[in-house]
Amino acid sequence: MSEQKSPGTGAEEPLAADGHYAIVPRRVSFDWDGTPLHWIPDEPTATHVINVLHLLLPAGERWFVKVFKEGLPLITDPVLRADVKGFMGQEATHSVQHAHVLDHLAAQRLDTAAFTRYVDFLFEKLLGERPPWGAPVPTQEWLRFRLAIVAAIEQFTAVLGDWVLHADGLDRAGSDEVMLDLLRWHGAEEVEHRAVAFDMYQHCGGKGLPRYARRVAGMTVTAPVMLYLWMWGTAYLIRHDPQLAGRFRYSLSEHNRAVAKGLLPTWREIGTAVPRYLRRSYHPSQEGSLRKAVEYLARSPGARAAAGAVGRAALG
């Protein structure tokens, strides 16, 4: 579980004296009063492609925490246990902060409840504590499968987190500073804990070929479902955007135009994450740069304000 040198970073990753990087939650908050509906000016497609995060993450990250709580009693490694608890704390905060953005969208007359009820059904019913429809899956196997799903999702969040930390196109476009800070704070924490879900699955997922086969199955399910939800979510947001008033539809040509401007990750960046993950020798410490993430967290307005609040509480 020790961090490795990331390909192409050109620098050793920051480690504690004991050679391990601790995962620590940050209780951030953001003020959305000044953030416009189209927070990337004149770019409704790019805005709403990224806004799908707010549709998926409140329920998804609550589910991560629930699944990891189920798995905690199986952890025998104290270092991994500490990492998992830190991961759970970070994911709980992510869920809350993205839910606040949904409230902000609703205040601007873009109500997302008709979409998010399907996301809630996915995580609470189809992937809940018990297999759906009474399927005869042993309890241990069902937990292992859901841990494999979390690990697969975290592969994409690590890739997206690294992308947004480097997405200068969002700055050039004049994107809202508060939304950019939310995305980059979240992205930096995804890079911070990029290996925790994978390590959790490897620790609790059994041995040998069955463990690897289940990891492959987790990605085989996750990748197409995420793609479908993302495209459906973007189409929903654009269709219900009160400022567009039905005059605009989601299209791949508009999406690709935003990619060319550096406002969205390329299809290659997303797609190549899958074969990397499927290598038998793969470990997520190969994704992104922990150093870049830590550097952003040191200057993030939201993270700095959270650290200041903790310091003031400790003094007073």
Side-chain angles (χ1 to χ4, degrees):
M1 285 173 292
S2 62
E3 297 292 347
Q4 302 175 12
K5 184 176 179 181
S6 295
T9 63
E12 293 296 330
E13 304 290 18
L15 301 175
D18 63 357
H20 184 73
Y21 183 84
I23 308 299
V24 179
R26 299 169 182 84
R27 306 304 183 190
V28 303
S29 62
F30 302 91
D31 181 359
W32 297 111
D33 288 348
T35 298
L37 183 59
H38 297 162
W39 54 268
I40 307 176
D42 303 317
E43 294 287 348
T45 294
T47 292
H48 288 315
V49 169
I50 298 176
N51 278 347
V52 175
L53 286 167
H54 313 309
L55 300 180
L56 302 181
L57 293 180
E61 297 191 302
R62 287 196 305 270
W63 177 75
F64 291 176
V65 174
K66 290 177 182 178
V67 173
F68 273 36
K69 280 184 178 177
E70 291 180 47
L72 269 177
L74 304 178
I75 301 174
T76 58
D77 180 345
V79 175
L80 177 59
R81 177 180 290 272
D83 284 347
V84 167
K85 288 183 175 180
F87 173 95
M88 292 166 65
Q90 288 190 344
E91 296 291 1
T93 303
H94 298 170
S95 175
V96 169
Q97 295 307 321
H98 285 280
H100 289 328
V101 180
L102 292 184
D103 294 337
H104 176 63
L105 294 179
Q108 297 181 93
R109 298 186 298 115
L110 205 174
D111 189 357
T112 59
F115 185 91
T116 56
R117 70 168 180 261
Y118 294 105
V119 180
D120 292 341
F121 177 78
L122 168 65
F123 288 111
E124 294 175 9
K125 302 299 182 182
L126 296 184
L127 292 171
E129 188 173 352
R130 293 180 178 82
W133 306 300
V137 181
T139 300
Q140 183 184 61
E141 184 60 26
W142 182 238
L143 174 59
R144 286 174 169 175
F145 174 70
R146 288 181 297 145
L147 289 171
I149 294 288
V150 178
I153 294 173
E154 285 290 298
Q155 169 72 352
F156 291 112
T157 59
V159 170
L160 292 173
D162 186 59
W163 172 79
V164 78
L165 289 172
H166 294 85
D168 296 338
L170 292 173
D171 300 280
R172 291 192 298 271
S175 302
D176 178 74
E177 292 182 358
V178 177
M179 185 65 78
L180 270 185
D181 187 36
L182 167 74
L183 295 172
R184 286 176 173 157
W185 154 75
H186 186 167
E189 290 199 342
E190 291 298 330
V191 174
E192 268 194 314
H193 68 229
R194 59 196 171 180
V196 175
F198 184 92
D199 289 341
M200 176 71 161
Y201 172 71
Q202 292 293 98
H203 186 80
C204 300
K207 303 291 183 182
L209 183 59
R211 181 176 67 181
Y212 174 69
R214 196 183 302 106
R215 173 154 71 90
V216 171
M219 179 57 79
T220 301
V221 170
T222 297
V225 169
M226 283 190 66
L227 177 62
Y228 173 75
L229 287 174
W230 221 289
M231 298 185 76
W232 180 25
T234 304
Y236 175 93
L237 290 168
I238 290 175
R239 189 168 64 252
H240 290 85
D241 184 323
Q243 294 184 16
L244 299 177
R247 299 187 303 272
F248 196 74
R249 290 289 184 268
Y250 172 66
S251 72
L252 282 177
S253 61
E254 285 296 313
H255 185 123
N256 291 334
R257 186 181 64 82
V259 169
K261 290 183 174 182
L263 304 176
L264 296 173
T266 67
W267 296 106
R268 178 180 176 82
E269 286 173 304
I270 302 299
T272 55
V274 175
R276 281 201 306 277
Y277 183 82
L278 296 180
R279 292 200 304 264
R280 290 289 293 268
S281 61
Y282 177 76
H283 191 265
S285 58
Q286 301 165 19
E287 296 294 341
S289 168
L290 179 57
R291 182 175 297 279
K292 180 80 171 181
V294 170
E295 287 174 352
Y296 183 77
L297 290 168
R299 66 178 187 273
S300 159
R304 287 171 62 88
V310 170
R312 288 190 296 273
L315 290 173

